[in-house]
Amino acid sequence: MKFFHLSDLHIGLKLYNRDLAEDQAHIFRQIIQAARQEQPDAVVIAGDVYDRAVPSAEAVALFDRFLSQLHQAIPQGEILVISGNHDSAPRINLFRSVLQHQHIRMIGLPPQSPEETIASVTLTDTFGPVTFYLLPFVRPSMVSNLVGCEEDSSLNYEETLRRLIQRENIDFTQRNVLVSHQFYLPLGASAGDIPRMDSETVTVGNLDAVSSAILEPFDYAALGHIHKPMTVGDSRFRYCGTPLACSVSEAGQEKAILMVELGEKGSLQVTPLPLSPLRQVRQITGPLVQLLAQASEDFVSVTLTDPVDLDVFDTLDRLRDAFPNLLEVRRETQRETAYRDLSSQAPLDPFSLCQSFLGDLEQEEADLLREVVLEVEEDVP
């Protein structure tokens, strides 16, 4: 059984107000080409389809094109999508019963009633069945009537998920894949041990952390939520990361599709299929002159190391000319302000106060300042 593992598309995301629609479309074309070439039995998208709960019309149109072309590339393959914490669960759930007849499973909501179970899809290969359990992002309050949160208000994310999975009649002698969008921790690890990207949503106190012990019975866990590719204590449990850098903190990361191949029970092979961005996200550091020599169309975060102050407006103009997709400019050496204790001194008149703030002035500048101060004083009743 061969399937692609993707997550955290974040369609509609803006990087420092830079529109990424063109860059995301470029990545989607590579995913479609890879699917056409490899012909996976399924493509899994583990949550955060959109960057916000109410996506723009342009973001919806981009996802519509991606999904349509992906379906054309693998007409007999299953496309399995769950909602993440950035998505609107009801919107992802829309037309669920209609789309499943087109081999597209859009699962936005976890079970809502005692009669419902976690949505699942069973595919078959030469070694028998493989069941994919599609569990969207879950907060305890979303399933309180199913897992006893109403009786026990202290239930956390971990116990909620444990009880939700225990409700299922899963045959663990067969092969099973969990598709989930949560914050899972390796056994024995704390939330502080996991590197988080600037583009991720972090809860206060990491209340949403869940132990990976819950994943142990599964043959593979296709996870979403963490933006950096990583395993969760076991090579069977993986975050694939975002297909495109969503923040400067992801600069230099190798982005990829994870191609997962399940053989007989206990046999697993995971192969990253690299993705090449239209524009890299880069962090560059150095003196202004050296940085200007590295001009490019990439998304660039600049840190200037010049030891002296530079003309702010001239510097920005030159950097923007060299880097049309400039994200931010930082200074390694910040200007220091000399503070003086004036509490014991007599109050300064407005002109002297302005002059002390501005520092040394040329005579012409001082004369102009005096005129401005006098004009303001005359206008004050």
Side-chain angles (χ1 to χ4, degrees):
M1 182 69 60
K2 178 165 66 177
F3 61 93
F4 283 2
H5 173 193
L6 299 164
S7 77
D8 296 272
L9 307 183
H10 285 279
I11 302 173
L13 172 75
K14 292 185 184 297
L15 182 62
Y16 285 79
N17 290 321
R18 298 284 183 179
D19 192 340
L20 295 182
E22 184 182 9
D23 301 81
Q24 290 175 327
H26 177 78
I27 289 294
F28 293 163
R29 286 192 289 271
Q30 293 178 54
I31 295 170
I32 292 162
Q33 179 57 36
R36 185 176 291 114
Q37 179 177 329
E38 295 291 344
Q39 288 298 302
D41 299 292
V43 172
V44 171
I45 302 176
D48 280 354
V49 172
Y50 297 110
D51 189 56
R52 57 183 60 188
V54 184
S56 66
E58 293 78 12
V60 173
L62 180 55
F63 182 56
D64 177 67
R65 289 195 298 273
F66 172 53
L67 209 59
S68 299
Q69 293 170 11
L70 187 58
H71 177 59
Q72 292 171 10
I74 51 168
Q76 300 307 312
E78 295 284 338
I79 300 174
L80 312 177
V81 183
I82 64 170
S83 65
N85 59 300
H86 278 251
D87 296 311
S88 163
R91 282 184 170 83
I92 297 296
N93 221 55
L94 196 63
F95 306 126
R96 171 172 163 175
S97 59
V98 174
L99 290 172
Q100 67 182 6
H101 299 296
Q102 304 299 320
H103 302 288
I104 300 173
R105 316 287 177 140
M106 298 277 289
I107 311 301
L109 294 167
Q112 298 295 289
S113 67
E115 297 75 29
E116 286 186 74
T117 57
I118 297 172
S120 63
V121 177
T122 300
L123 305 180
T124 304
D125 62 9
T126 55
F127 297 105
V130 176
T131 302
F132 293 80
Y133 289 89
L134 310 176
L135 181 60
F137 177 70
V138 177
R139 294 184 180 87
S141 60
M142 296 169 67
V143 292
S144 59
N145 62 319
L146 303 182
V147 298
C149 291
E150 292 174 332
E151 293 77 21
D152 184 359
S153 59
S154 65
L155 283 182
N156 56 19
Y157 277 79
E158 181 172 334
E159 186 60 26
T160 297
L161 286 173
R162 191 185 308 279
R163 294 188 184 189
L164 201 56
I165 292 173
Q166 286 175 348
R167 293 177 68 248
E168 303 297 313
N169 184 25
I170 301 176
D171 181 1
F172 286 111
T173 65
Q174 303 292 339
R175 294 168 297 167
N176 299 282
V177 175
L178 178 66
V179 182
S180 178
H181 191 97
Q182 305 284 162
F183 179 30
Y184 290 99
L185 295 176
L187 289 174
S190 66
D193 298 328
I194 307 302
R196 307 297 297 272
M197 302 297 102
D198 293 343
S199 53
E200 296 176 25
T201 299
V202 180
T203 61
V204 176
N206 293 296
L207 297 177
D208 57 343
V210 178
S211 170
S212 64
I214 290 175
L215 308 175
E216 283 297 330
F218 292 92
D219 296 272
Y220 185 81
L223 307 177
H225 191 51
I226 300 298
H227 290 184
K228 179 181 179 179
M230 60 175 282
T231 59
V232 186
D234 190 302
S235 61
R236 295 175 296 146
F237 316 138
R238 292 180 180 253
Y239 287 103
C240 59
T242 56
L244 183 72
C246 295
S247 65
V248 172
S249 62
E250 295 167 61
Q253 283 185 14
E254 295 291 334
K255 301 296 187 179
I257 306 163
L258 294 184
M259 183 170 69
V260 183
E261 296 176 89
L262 290 174
E264 59 185 339
K265 181 77 173 178
S267 174
L268 170 70
Q269 181 177 342
V270 180
T271 306
L273 304 179
L275 295 168
S276 177
L278 181 64
R279 288 171 281 234
Q280 295 278 358
V281 174
R282 297 167 52 211
Q283 292 177 296
I284 58 175
T285 301
L288 177 63
V289 174
Q290 290 184 14
L291 297 185
L292 293 176
Q294 304 176 41
S296 77
E297 297 286 329
D298 291 336
F299 295 110
V300 174
S301 169
V302 166
T303 300
L304 295 171
T305 61
D306 297 86
V308 297
D309 289 334
L310 302 173
D311 182 278
V312 174
F313 296 107
D314 178 64
T315 299
L316 285 176
D317 287 343
R318 295 173 69 184
L319 285 170
R320 286 171 179 148
D321 286 342
F323 305 104
N325 293 300
L326 180 68
L327 300 177
E328 62 176 351
V329 179
R330 299 170 180 263
R331 288 183 184 274
E332 189 175 74
T333 304
Q334 297 292 334
R335 175 187 294 178
E336 295 184 358
T337 302
Y339 292 98
R340 291 183 296 158
D341 183 7
L342 302 178
S343 59
S344 61
Q345 299 181 14
L348 298 175
D349 62 83
F351 171 75
S352 299
L353 185 62
C354 292
Q355 190 177 39
S356 67
F357 176 78
L358 295 173
D360 295 333
L361 298 176
E362 299 290 339
Q363 186 59 49
E364 184 179 349
E365 295 172 329
D367 292 341
L368 178 59
L369 174 63
R370 190 183 301 277
E371 289 180 15
V372 171
V373 170
L374 288 173
E375 184 175 343
V376 171
E377 287 180 329
E378 290 174 358
D379 290 339
V380 174

